[in-house]
Amino acid sequence: MTAKASSPAVDPDAPLLEVKDLKVHFHTETGVFRAVDGVSFSVRRGATLGIVGESGCGKSVTSLGIMRLIAQPPGRYAGGEVKFEGRDILKISEREMRGLRGGRMGMIFQEPMTSLNPVYTIGDQIIESLRAHGVADRKAARKRAIEMLDLVKLPSPETRVDDFPHQLSGGQRQRAMIALALVNDPELLIADEPTTALDVTVQAQILSLMRDLRERTGAAIVLITHDLGVVAETCDDVVVMYAGQVVEKAPVAELFSGPQHPYTLGLMAAVPRLDAQTDRLETIPGSVPPPYLQLPGCRFASRCPLATDHCRAAPPPLREIGPGRSVACWRAPIEEIAA
Amino acid sequence: MISTIIDRLLLSIPVLLGVLLFGFLLLQLVPGDPARVVAGPSAAPDVVEALRVQMGLDQPILVQFWAYMERMFTGDLGRSMISNKEVTAELAAAIGPTVELMLACMIWSIPLGIAMGTMAAVKRGSIVDRAIMAISVAGVSLPIFFVGLLAVQYLGVLWLNLPFIGRGGPLWSYDGLRHMILPALSLGAILVGPVARMTRSSVLEVLKLDHVRTARAKGLSERSVILRHGLRNALIPVVTLIGLQAGYLLGGAVVTETIFSWPGIGRLVVGAILSSDFTVAQGAILVFALGFIAINLIVDVLYSLLDPRVRK
Ligand SMILES: Nc1ncnc2c1ncn2[C@@H]1O[C@H](COP(=O)(O)OP(=O)(O)OP(=O)(O)O)[C@@H](O)[C@H]1O
Ligand SMILES: [Mg+2]
């Protein structure tokens, strides 16, 4: 509640969020499912980090993992650290964690249609979050809720605050979700595919709203998406995930100018381009190996055009190849493969 | 809200007409001659015949039906064939105790069922969950007369010396309250199990939904998450279930009132049927039908209070 005041004086250049070798496993009937298997990245204050990867690569599990929202069982934190402002939040008490959730860490979900409770008004749902984080006065909370709805550009917020979720469109609901996530001025906003379920024009509006809010609130954002176009427009840094692991990390411009991992290259080829002559979407052939299979080598090897015997025998470590750039590939740096 | 109520009332008209028709047919189909019942077993055949004409029983059936409907709509349910009292007066005296019994039964069994179901859902798979579900299954499968007899035997006679015959006075008196305990316990016992089971599965279902994850992401305590975002939404199907159980409950009331000599509609109808008092039986059935409609009306109102999506 008084978290901001009591936070230790930290080095302003230290990362806001540092995820180190995070492992989240699910125990299912078919075996241990390594949904997130040693993921590391960090987010600077005020910066936007994109996490991209195909469906099922562990993006949502990573984001829920950061919020400590993985249901246990079936999930389990099998290792690693999540340092928020220098403290490993996997080790703090549940009570302290609740203070962070919805307080200094906000989250937006993929499904605006179902992520709000249908039986309460959106105002009540925002007010509930304010009250959970120390705003005792109901009137003040309501006023703040209306301000937030105005900030996210929901039309006529004074009346919309008393609407139920089903009275709003998908885009409006996602605006309400964003208002809810930002109401306690978080330092970190985790947005798990905030636009995937929306139609294209609404997607653009929500993304521009998020960029706008980033300027105004200074919050750092972890933006999860499988849309590289969104990444190019919105993010400062990018993490590319494949089968529960990070395969490449880079500042956004460098990633697009010189992708180093064959999987990243494949993803880029899969982006539909308006100027492209073909109407066919390039996709990477093959499919992701099931995560409960413990492969000896690189997990991408079976789909990789550059794979060698060495790739299939030993897993490539994530190694630094430049400032802020790392890649997990034995063949990197790759110069001319685009040909 | 108002329009919901009006809709429901309009919808219940055909139900009511059906019940009236059923009540009429019942009189036609039961073995035994109403005129003979009224006149008494020792009456001479010409007396019975005269009575039959007086009661209109010699008329064609459609004429009889029309006369019957007319009487029903003017609130004239006739006189008891046994006591010769106005059926409406007999019903009026019996309805209070039945309503009391129903309320007393629901007031403990529904909250208890909901609490047990929620507890079981939260502790799913644990000993607590299994114990609660075992109790519910037992409650569902034990016939009410058996539960009632156990209550009489143990709570009434052996352990607590609670009264188990009659109403003992108005509900607000000490004696009235004491007399209420065993009937309300026995009747409520059939409701706890279904409510607990439904609550459990409904809460489990709701806790999987996305908005519950949002509630957790807001930093709410687990208690708020479960009560305000789990149970609150889970109540919607539970209320529906209670509406569906209304008929079961009314049937249970008949048995309970008979066991405990509770002076309500249930005992009235059993007595009337046993003594071939058709007019009273007919009136009581009508009251049950109205009760069923009323309970479902209340359920619909509750439903629209609980779920803003069905509100207009
Ligand atoms: N509760 C769970 N139990 C078992 N497996 C799970 C659970 N939650 C997630 N997984 C598995 O973990 C893997 C990663 O899931 P995740 O939701 O993180 O994918 P994603 O990258 O977010 O995909 P998408 O783009 O489709 O949202 C999936 O294969 C999924 O089946
Ligand atoms: Mg996802």
Side-chain angles (χ1 to χ4, degrees):
Chain A
M1 273 127 254
T2 53
K4 258 185 193 155
S6 70
S7 71
V10 282
D11 170 12
D13 294 332
L16 175 67
L17 176 77
E18 225 181 330
V19 177
K20 280 190 188 161
D21 199 28
L22 180 66
K23 290 184 174 143
V24 180
H25 296 174
F26 290 99
H27 293 260
T28 64
E29 279 130 40
T30 40
V32 180
F33 199 113
R34 292 161 214 274
V36 171
D37 201 13
V39 163
S40 305
F41 57 84
S42 60
V43 185
R44 291 172 287 128
R45 283 176 191 278
T48 302
L49 174 83
I51 301 182
V52 288
E54 283 169 297
S55 187
C57 70
K59 303 184 297 291
S60 295
V61 174
T62 304
S63 62
L64 290 172
I66 296 170
M67 293 288 277
R68 240 173 81 178
L69 283 175
I70 302 286
Q72 309 179 63
R76 190 169 71 87
Y77 286 91
E81 291 178 349
V82 177
K83 281 191 167 168
F84 183 69
E85 300 193 312
R87 254 187 345 150
D88 184 1
I89 60 172
L90 296 185
K91 295 212 171 71
I92 63 180
S93 70
E94 182 54 33
R95 205 188 141 80
E96 256 184 296
M97 190 62 220
R98 280 205 304 269
L100 286 179
R101 279 188 210 122
R104 288 192 293 153
M105 302 168 86
M107 185 156 185
I108 314 173
F109 298 98
Q110 191 165 351
E111 306 83 6
M113 290 314 189
T114 53
S115 290
L116 290 164
N117 190 330
V119 309
Y120 299 113
T121 63
I122 53 171
D124 280 345
Q125 297 185 55
I126 296 175
I127 291 169
E128 190 180 29
S129 177
L130 281 165
R131 289 168 70 85
H133 294 280
V135 179
D137 179 32
R138 243 200 109 80
K139 274 231 177 78
R142 186 180 159 88
K143 196 161 153 271
R144 172 97 176 118
I146 295 173
E147 276 169 26
M148 283 313 293
L149 292 176
D150 193 35
L151 188 70
V152 298
K153 304 199 179 78
L154 194 74
S156 47
E158 307 80 18
T159 54
R160 286 309 194 131
V161 70
D162 295 319
D163 273 1
F164 288 96
H166 73 273
Q167 292 166 297
L168 306 180
S169 70
Q172 289 172 334
R173 282 187 221 189
Q174 200 57 303
R175 285 174 194 270
M177 257 321 282
I178 295 174
L180 175 62
L182 292 180
V183 72
N184 290 307
D185 286 326
E187 264 110 292
L188 177 68
L189 176 67
I190 299 172
D192 186 359
E193 309 203 30
T195 59
T196 306
L198 304 171
D199 60 50
V200 186
T201 44
V202 183
Q203 274 187 19
Q205 289 166 10
I206 295 287
L207 284 171
S208 96
L209 172 70
M210 287 185 59
R211 283 193 292 267
D212 181 36
L213 289 174
R214 182 185 50 190
E215 305 303 313
R216 294 171 71 155
T217 63
I221 300 179
V222 173
L223 178 64
I224 291 167
T225 176
H226 52 243
D227 186 341
L228 280 175
V230 169
V231 170
E233 278 177 61
T234 316
C235 300
D236 303 310
D237 303 289
V238 191
V239 165
V240 181
M241 280 183 70
Y242 182 77
Q245 294 179 327
V246 174
V247 293
E248 182 161 9
K249 270 193 280 201
V252 72
E254 289 178 40
L255 186 85
F256 282 92
S257 64
Q260 285 302 318
H261 196 282
Y263 175 65
T264 315
L265 265 168
L267 271 186
M268 287 183 177
V271 176
R273 294 175 56 111
L274 289 177
D275 57 343
Q277 292 304 308
T278 91
D279 48 19
R280 207 182 111 258
L281 202 78
E282 298 263 350
T283 50
I284 309 169
S287 59
V288 188
Y292 48 84
L293 258 186
Q294 279 289 67
L295 296 172
C298 171
R299 293 189 178 185
F300 188 59
S302 62
R303 298 167 77 186
C304 181
L306 305 176
T308 61
D309 284 346
H310 183 50
C311 295
R312 280 180 279 270
L318 191 66
R319 51 194 171 95
E320 199 148 328
I321 55 165
R325 289 213 67 169
S326 356
V327 63
C329 177
W330 292 120
R331 301 291 308 269
I334 32 181
E335 299 297 336
E336 299 301 324
I337 13 162
Chain B
M1 178 58 53
I2 304 284
S3 75
T4 315
I5 297 178
I6 293 175
D7 275 3
R8 289 305 309 190
L9 284 177
L10 289 178
L11 272 180
S12 39
I13 290 175
V15 179
L16 255 182
L17 289 178
V19 170
L20 285 173
L21 177 64
F22 177 76
F24 177 75
L25 289 179
L26 197 69
L27 260 179
Q28 304 297 315
L29 295 177
V30 286
D33 176 359
R36 165 62 67 190
V37 175
V38 173
S42 57
D46 54 325
V47 175
V48 175
E49 198 49 45
L51 248 181
R52 182 173 291 129
V53 174
Q54 191 194 327
M55 290 168 78
L57 296 176
D58 58 337
Q59 300 285 320
I61 192 154
L62 280 178
V63 176
Q64 282 191 47
F65 182 63
W66 186 248
Y68 162 84
M69 290 301 269
E70 261 180 9
R71 275 187 279 117
M72 290 293 147
F73 277 103
T74 51
D76 174 10
L77 302 184
R79 287 176 176 277
S80 160
M81 294 175 171
I82 306 294
S83 69
N84 201 37
K85 281 195 226 147
E86 286 272 359
V87 171
T88 41
E90 296 236 20
L91 293 175
I95 201 158
T98 296
V99 171
E100 273 170 15
L101 175 63
M102 298 290 248
L103 289 180
C105 128
M106 290 196 272
I107 217 162
W108 73 270
S109 61
I110 293 175
L112 179 68
I114 289 173
M116 282 168 59
T118 310
M119 185 78 127
V122 171
K123 310 237 173 222
R124 178 187 38 170
S126 70
I127 276 283
V128 180
D129 177 21
R130 268 176 248 166
I132 289 175
M133 282 305 103
I135 295 172
S136 315
V137 171
V140 175
S141 20
L142 287 181
I144 179 139
F145 71 85
F146 187 66
V147 176
L149 293 179
L150 284 181
V152 169
Q153 169 83 344
Y154 289 97
L155 303 178
V157 179
L158 291 177
W159 297 339
L160 293 178
N161 207 19
L162 285 166
F164 50 86
I165 297 174
R167 183 159 165 254
L171 184 61
W172 48 89
S173 67
Y174 174 69
D175 209 34
L177 270 181
R178 271 170 56 86
H179 277 78
M180 175 59 86
I181 296 175
L182 291 185
L185 266 183
S186 316
L187 183 54
I190 64 172
L191 202 54
V192 175
V195 170
R197 283 157 58 103
M198 186 71 200
T199 306
R200 177 182 184 273
S201 68
S202 179
V203 167
L204 283 179
E205 214 41 57
V206 172
L207 286 181
K208 280 190 220 143
L209 298 180
D210 291 339
H211 69 75
V212 171
R213 194 181 52 191
T214 307
R216 291 211 169 90
K218 288 202 281 199
L220 301 187
S221 67
E222 197 55 22
R223 189 191 155 86
S224 303
V225 170
I226 286 164
L227 295 181
R228 286 183 46 85
H229 293 272
L231 179 59
R232 171 62 178 73
N233 294 55
L235 283 182
I236 297 168
V238 172
V239 163
T240 311
L241 171 94
I242 293 171
L244 292 174
Q245 296 281 323
Y248 185 47
L249 202 60
L250 288 168
V254 173
V255 179
T256 310
E257 290 183 4
T258 307
I259 296 173
F260 294 98
S261 305
W262 192 258
I265 304 277
R267 202 184 59 147
L268 190 67
V269 75
V270 172
I273 289 168
L274 290 180
S275 59
S276 302
D277 192 345
F278 301 123
T279 42
V280 169
Q282 210 178 38
I285 286 166
L286 197 62
V287 169
F288 275 126
L290 286 175
F292 191 78
I293 291 172
I295 291 177
N296 278 288
L297 186 66
I298 293 170
V299 163
D300 281 336
V301 170
L302 276 180
Y303 194 86
S304 67
L305 282 179
L306 284 175
D307 191 348
R309 285 163 296 185
V310 305
R311 251 177 253 162
K312 299 234 176 67

